Amino acid sequence: MQEYRSKVIILGSGPAGLSAAIYCSRANLQPLLIHGIQPGGQMTITTDVENYPGFEDVIQGPWLMEQMQKQAQKVGTKFINDNISSVDFSQKPFKCFGDSGNKYVSDIIIISTGAQASWLGLDSEEKYKGFGVSACATCDGFFFKEKNVAVIGGGNTAVEEALYLTNHARKVTLIHRRNELRAEKILQERLYNNDKIEIIWDTVVEEVIGSENPLSVEKIKLKNLLTQDTTYLNISGLFIAIGHIPNTGLFKDFIKMDNAGYIITKPDSTKTNIDGIFAAGDVQDSIFRQAVTAAGTGCMAALEVGKKIAEEKK
Ligand code: NDP
């Protein structure tokens, strides 16, 4: 077992963690960044990215993360390939324990472990992920101009995604497993008043069907839960909006979270309930969940860390 000590430890290597790393490194805070189980985070399972500012042409999610990592490395971030499996935040210095058996110790931690979209769990859904199956309408809706798409779910996200998709798609079908939406009433009203949206109630997706070359979605097999009838719906895009799971299980004994498990940060800040522990990115954001907003809060965390260290030195 090896023990690593650092002025700042960053957990997670998505846009939030890497932005925090770039800013911390440039402030000479010599951060140590621990990758986690999915180096690069959710962006590495996206294909085309058109909404990250600074690139005229379409870029690829994995490429963007690679660039961010190289940039962080260039300015001095030290990277560790490990996955933290437990932490002890009961007192300073804070301790993080990796799968490797190594221990990481610091008085300052930036948590940027992200979130994961919930998926239906179908093999065919997995097959077409990034090729017609998506969990982010803002990211991928544009690719379905004048096409038919479907959204799965009945919460705020599903309704907002369905409404958003009407800006691009010819027709949007919202498919929900019950006959009542969980979404706020005002969103429901907008949904019902939108001519481009049709709703299929009491129904679940059983299979995503498509072509092999190029890999693309053509239709979905649906089952009505009341009648058990099977139907098929022709679509080019399937958007799964059945919730997200923030990667915060590790911290539950120490860090304050909301009912859905998102870390609560102080208003206009990335500070958590523990002095010296900051949270940035999707791990503390259930609303926006964009790479650019995650990068923004990563920058905020680094600036707040810099300020704290400077004040403590005085
Ligand atoms: P929610 O948990 O609110 O809704 C998830 C939806 O997916 C539910 O309708 C649920 O059905 C359905 N669902 C869950 N699992 C499955 C499954 N396996 N198969 C089919 N359907 C499934 O998640 P959201 O992402 O919509 O919202 C998360 C949080 O973020 C909420 O608190 C929401 O209010 C908030 N939010 C707020 C926004 C805003 O204020 N503008 C925008 C987006 C989110 P069922 O209803 O039957 O359980």
Side-chain angles (χ1 to χ4, degrees):
M1 188 196 88
Q2 215 174 328
E3 182 172 311
Y4 292 82
R5 277 180 185 262
S6 181
K7 233 185 255 181
V8 183
I9 288 179
I10 300 169
L11 303 180
S13 51
L18 290 171
S19 302
I22 292 165
Y23 273 79
C24 282
S25 298
R26 296 193 74 254
N28 206 19
L29 301 175
Q30 295 140 1
L32 185 71
L33 184 146
I34 302 168
H35 272 295
I37 214 158
Q38 187 179 35
Q42 289 184 85
M43 288 293 279
T44 57
I45 53 162
T46 331
T47 50
D48 292 357
V49 176
E50 267 187 353
N51 56 6
Y52 198 87
F55 304 94
E56 184 184 358
D57 296 321
V58 176
I59 53 168
Q60 297 298 304
W63 177 84
L64 178 62
M65 299 322 297
E66 207 181 288
Q67 294 300 310
M68 277 192 207
Q69 179 169 332
K70 283 184 180 163
Q71 189 181 358
Q73 244 153 0
K74 201 168 201 169
V75 289
T77 305
K78 190 166 174 202
F79 285 85
I80 301 267
N81 247 328
D82 202 352
N83 183 50
I84 300 302
S85 44
S86 65
V87 297
D88 180 0
F89 291 166
S90 56
Q91 58 181 39
K92 284 183 189 167
F94 306 119
K95 297 166 205 74
C96 304
F97 304 92
D99 283 344
S100 61
N102 292 337
K103 183 174 161 188
Y104 306 91
V105 181
S106 179
D107 281 347
I108 308 257
I109 307 272
I110 298 176
I111 301 175
S112 45
T113 47
Q116 307 164 37
S118 299
W119 298 95
L120 299 172
L122 305 169
D123 290 343
S124 53
E125 168 193 58
E126 188 63 37
K127 176 174 173 183
Y128 292 102
K129 259 186 210 169
F131 298 93
V133 174
S134 166
C136 179
T138 330
C139 319
D140 299 326
F142 185 76
F143 304 117
F144 297 92
K145 256 190 176 2
E146 290 308 313
K147 302 257 170 68
N148 293 339
V149 298
V151 178
I152 312 301
N156 276 356
T157 304
V159 173
E160 284 197 344
E161 302 240 305
L163 289 166
Y164 174 82
L165 285 165
T166 59
N167 296 320
H168 302 294
R170 180 166 49 208
K171 187 180 162 197
V172 179
T173 307
L174 184 96
I175 300 164
H176 186 33
R177 63 182 177 184
R178 294 187 293 136
N179 66 355
E180 192 187 2
L181 297 171
R182 186 183 284 276
E184 289 163 19
K185 290 281 176 270
I186 184 158
L187 286 174
Q188 294 195 26
E189 261 169 48
R190 278 183 216 152
L191 184 86
Y192 298 139
N193 290 332
N194 194 311
D195 295 340
K196 277 186 159 184
I197 299 178
E198 191 179 305
I199 304 173
I200 300 182
W201 300 107
D202 301 307
T203 297
V204 293
V205 178
E206 283 201 322
E207 195 185 347
V208 184
I209 301 162
S211 65
E212 291 292 323
N213 203 6
L215 208 54
S216 56
V217 172
E218 287 175 345
K219 57 185 167 187
I220 45 177
K221 182 180 174 190
L222 301 174
K223 184 165 109 184
N224 183 302
L225 295 175
L226 301 181
T227 61
Q228 307 302 315
D229 285 347
T230 294
T231 52
Y232 291 87
L233 180 73
N234 291 332
I235 52 161
S236 306
L238 177 65
F239 289 85
I240 312 294
I242 60 171
H244 277 76
I245 307 164
N247 299 320
T248 53
L250 265 181
F251 316 114
K252 66 179 186 331
D253 293 338
F254 306 99
I255 304 286
K256 274 202 182 133
M257 299 173 195
D258 67 13
N259 291 339
Y262 287 90
I263 293 178
I264 298 171
T265 47
K266 306 225 156 98
D268 299 326
S269 167
T270 60
K271 290 177 184 161
T272 68
N273 58 305
I274 299 183
D275 177 54
I277 302 190
F278 301 79
D282 287 11
V283 80
Q284 51 89 57
D285 169 21
S286 66
I287 309 283
F288 303 107
R289 297 194 290 243
Q290 300 299 301
V292 67
T293 49
T297 52
C299 159
M300 280 168 64
L303 295 178
E304 290 190 286
V305 166
K307 192 165 168 234
K308 178 177 171 56
I309 291 177
E311 275 165 7
E312 281 171 359
K313 261 193 194 151
K314 266 186 205 163

